[in-house]
Amino acid sequence: MSEVVLPALGESVTEGTITRWLKKVGDTVAVDEALVEVSTDKVDTEIPSPVAGVIQQIMVQEDETVAVGAVLVIIGDSAAAPAEAPAAPAPVAAPVVETPAPVAAAPVAPAPVVAPPVAPAPVVSTPPQVPPIAAPVAAPVAQAAVSESDPNYITPIVRKLANDMGVNLANVQGTGVGGRIRKEDVLAAGSGTHATTSAPAAPVQTAASPLRGTTESMSRLRKVLAERAVASMQSTAQLTTVVEVDVTRIANLRKSVQAAFTAKTGVKLNFMPFFTLAAAEALQAHPKINSSVEGETIVYHPSENISFAVDTEKGLLTPVIRDAASLNIAQIAQQISDLAARTRASQLKPDELAGGTFTLTNTGSRGALFDTPVVFLPQSAILGTGIVTKRPAVVTDADGNEAIAIRSLVYLALSYDHRTIDGADASRFLTDLKKRLEDANFEANLGI
């Protein structure tokens, strides 16, 4: 028998909340196979199995918070039968509320007396499973995990996405566990890059969300985000300054080097690496924007650690690109791709979310022109990048002649703490950032 305990997930992390069991009693697991999803105030992650065997006992139920070192599950060898539980209790009705959040119930088992926890061997997390929705009304808890293991089960979120994109799910080959269709499979099919073919595009109709008329408890991550947002607005004086930037030259540069860049780095070149590098360079010249307030002291940070916002199904997380001003475009693009993918897969380490001194949030990824983002404490500023769109604009040639031309334009919105940063400081930072982006002299910074 082997006990799997909650490992230390960072220097400041002392406890975690079980959000979803990926295995049930009697299941066979392999080494490094994901057992359970855990949420902390720093990161959501999966705990993999340090040993191969059969699940004998699940010691901690979903939504339960336990300390680091607590025993989560007992795993026996394949020859050992799962420990028998007392007479089964009456079936418990599953919740009537259906939500796309991970709410699959874990098997009910009494908590036996166990030996002191032992630390698991270092392991590598595996790709996450798509979370199932709640079991049908009045279904026994013992049956709630059936949908989780059924490869034919498709979550409402995936079905809605397929409907919105006009993708026929019957023609999509799933890449999830057991061949389950995941959101990424639908997106790939809709963009024409999936191995299978999708149905002809149909008129998009807005489908009613399964959340209508329901309630759900806040997740641990949502509670933390809510507390930090309120604390930020209550303890700082925030305002936002917006500039418009012509990024036509960057758009042309991207087009000219895209094939070579992708071949060399393995990732596509979009606008975010340019915004990140230009912002990091501007921060070096404008340290007030890259500062923090500690009591009555202003701390000007010695490096530019750029947090960037990642939208996940569980909420907003901000992994960090460290010393961004010392990196080239290729290195930044690779870090953005890697960190974003591991953030959405709940595979980040807590330290990868800590230490940011300034934040970038790409609000334009969902089509917004700009917004007024909230500063992430203890930082003093955050830059929102709107959607890059082609619009008519006045251009001036070398002789001073003006004309109307189609240009690629973007709004950049800087929110900042007015206690230590004045409007003039913000304007000077944005002016330098705008010039760097419009000049677009990034050929020497591409890194290819």
Side-chain angles (χ1 to χ4, degrees), residues 85-143:
V92 179
V96 175
V97 176
E98 291 187 357
T99 90
V103 294
V108 176
V113 177
V114 296
V118 293
V123 290
V124 178
S125 180
T126 57
Q129 295 174 297
V130 174
I133 61 169
V137 176
V141 168
Q143 296 177 355

Side-chain angles (χ1 to χ4, degrees), residues 30-118:
V31 175
D32 291 347
E33 187 173 4
L35 292 170
V36 62
E37 291 180 352
V38 176
S39 176
T40 74
D41 59 355
K42 297 290 185 182
V43 68
D44 287 359
T45 189
E46 293 176 346
I47 305 300
S49 176
V51 297
V54 176
I55 302 294
Q56 303 294 319
Q57 291 280 355
I58 289 179
M59 312 301 295
V60 182
Q61 303 306 310
E62 290 180 359
D63 296 326
E64 188 175 345
T65 299
V66 295
V68 169
V71 178
L72 303 179
V73 62
I74 296 176
I75 299 177
D77 58 41
S78 57
E84 294 186 2
V92 179
V96 175
V97 176
E98 291 187 357
T99 90
V103 294
V108 176
V113 177
V114 296
V118 293

